[in-house]
Amino acid sequence: MSLSDVDVTKQIQQMISFIQQEAAEKVEEIEAKTEEEFNIEKSRLVSQQRVKIIEYYDKKEKQIELQQKIQHSNLANASRLSILKARDDYVQTLKEEAKKKLAFSIEDRSKYIMILSKLITQGLFILMEPIIIIRCRYDDYGLVQRLIPDAIRQYKQVLKQNDIEVTIDQKNFLSDNLAGGIELYTVNGKIKVSNTIEDRLDMIFYQMLPEIREKLFGMNNNRKYYD
């Protein structure tokens, strides 16, 4: 039994409707899957960018913290150096004030003679040479000449030596600006002992510097060792 044209048309229409339905469902399925994949990819990209943004600002924050620490350290060091310089300037001022009070060679002659005698004797013991040349201020020439024999006597008495010759340099004198004292040289001039009043003050001042600083500024808590 053959189908009529109406039946054929009806079947074709049913097939078309089925195909369209299948196509529509497939489209919906593809669209749903596409949207899902899009959302997943979008979420991944957003999450990735969020991580990058967090890392970026974490890095920036650490850089800022580091810069602040460096700046704070620099300011602290500058402040510390400023304080140390001010303290050192004050100590040097005290030293200069002390030097201004060294003019006792004129004000207290007897005291200066005693000190000069000890400086000469000490210089002989430091050099321990058979021939020693002394330089002094021009104004002290006569005084040094009178003090040399007693210094030689003390030297010989202690060391039991007789072979020592001490002379004064009559061509080269120490500056009149010095408070006093002497310089002693070996005969070839290679070894020198400076026993001027200023040099003795510098040596004593250097030795007492820790004690001076402590009395002026208090104990240094950062100092590990004390003499």
Side-chain angles (χ1 to χ4, degrees):
M1 182 177 178
S2 61
L3 297 174
S4 64
D5 292 341
V6 174
D7 291 333
V8 172
T9 302
K10 186 177 180 180
Q11 285 184 357
I12 291 172
Q13 188 64 41
Q14 287 177 347
M15 290 177 63
I16 291 172
S17 297
F18 177 76
I19 292 170
Q20 287 178 341
Q21 180 66 29
E22 285 288 322
E25 290 176 359
K26 196 67 177 177
V27 168
E28 288 179 1
E29 182 183 343
I30 293 171
E31 287 178 348
K33 187 176 182 180
T34 301
E35 185 176 0
E36 182 182 359
E37 291 177 352
F38 170 77
N39 289 331
I40 292 173
E41 181 65 15
K42 182 177 73 173
S43 178
R44 186 186 68 80
L45 291 174
V46 170
S47 178
Q48 188 179 58
Q49 290 303 314
R50 183 184 294 114
V51 170
K52 287 184 178 180
I53 291 171
I54 292 173
E55 290 177 349
Y56 173 80
Y57 281 103
D58 282 345
K59 184 178 180 181
K60 279 293 182 182
E61 185 177 359
K62 289 179 181 179
Q63 287 177 345
I64 292 172
E65 288 179 357
L66 180 60
Q67 288 174 354
Q68 289 176 340
K69 287 180 180 179
I70 293 173
Q71 186 178 15
H72 181 270
S73 177
N74 289 339
L75 289 174
N77 286 336
S79 177
R80 183 176 62 85
L81 291 174
S82 178
I83 292 172
L84 290 176
K85 185 180 184 305
R87 288 182 175 182
D88 186 64
D89 289 344
Y90 183 67
V91 169
Q92 293 302 319
T93 299
L94 291 180
K95 182 179 176 181
E96 292 303 317
E97 289 295 325
K99 283 186 176 182
K100 292 178 182 178
K101 297 179 181 180
L102 293 178
F104 57 80
S105 61
I106 298 176
E107 298 173 359
D108 192 342
R109 194 67 177 169
S110 60
K111 183 178 180 179
Y112 178 64
I113 292 173
M114 179 185 66
I115 292 174
L116 189 58
S117 175
K118 290 182 178 180
L119 291 176
I120 295 172
T121 305
Q122 183 192 57
L124 299 186
F125 280 106
I126 292 174
L127 284 179
M128 295 182 65
E129 291 287 328
I131 301 176
I132 294 176
I133 300 171
I134 291 178
R135 287 181 186 172
C136 61
R137 298 184 307 178
Y138 181 80
D139 290 343
D140 288 338
Y141 178 84
L143 176 59
V144 172
Q145 198 170 35
R146 293 197 303 272
L147 294 175
I148 286 176
D150 185 63
I152 292 175
R153 179 188 63 77
Q154 294 183 57
Y155 178 83
K156 290 180 178 181
Q157 185 177 359
V158 173
L159 297 182
K160 310 300 182 184
Q161 293 182 3
N162 296 320
D163 54 343
I164 181 171
E165 176 184 339
V166 181
T167 58
I168 302 175
D169 189 338
Q170 300 184 27
K171 295 181 179 180
N172 302 292
F173 292 95
L174 299 182
S175 171
D176 291 333
N177 294 326
L178 293 175
I182 57 168
E183 290 179 352
L184 302 94
Y185 296 83
T186 55
V187 67
N188 56 13
K190 291 184 177 180
I191 304 175
K192 167 189 171 182
V193 173
S194 183
N195 259 359
T196 64
I197 300 297
E198 281 79 1
D199 285 336
R200 298 297 295 181
L201 173 65
D202 288 341
M203 184 186 72
I204 294 171
F205 195 86
Y206 178 77
Q207 291 174 346
M208 294 184 64
L209 192 56
E211 182 180 348
I212 292 171
R213 290 185 180 277
E214 183 176 334
K215 289 188 177 297
L216 289 174
F217 313 117
M219 185 176 294
N220 185 358
N221 294 325
N222 295 322
R223 189 177 180 189
K224 295 182 179 179
Y225 305 102
Y226 293 87
D227 296 332

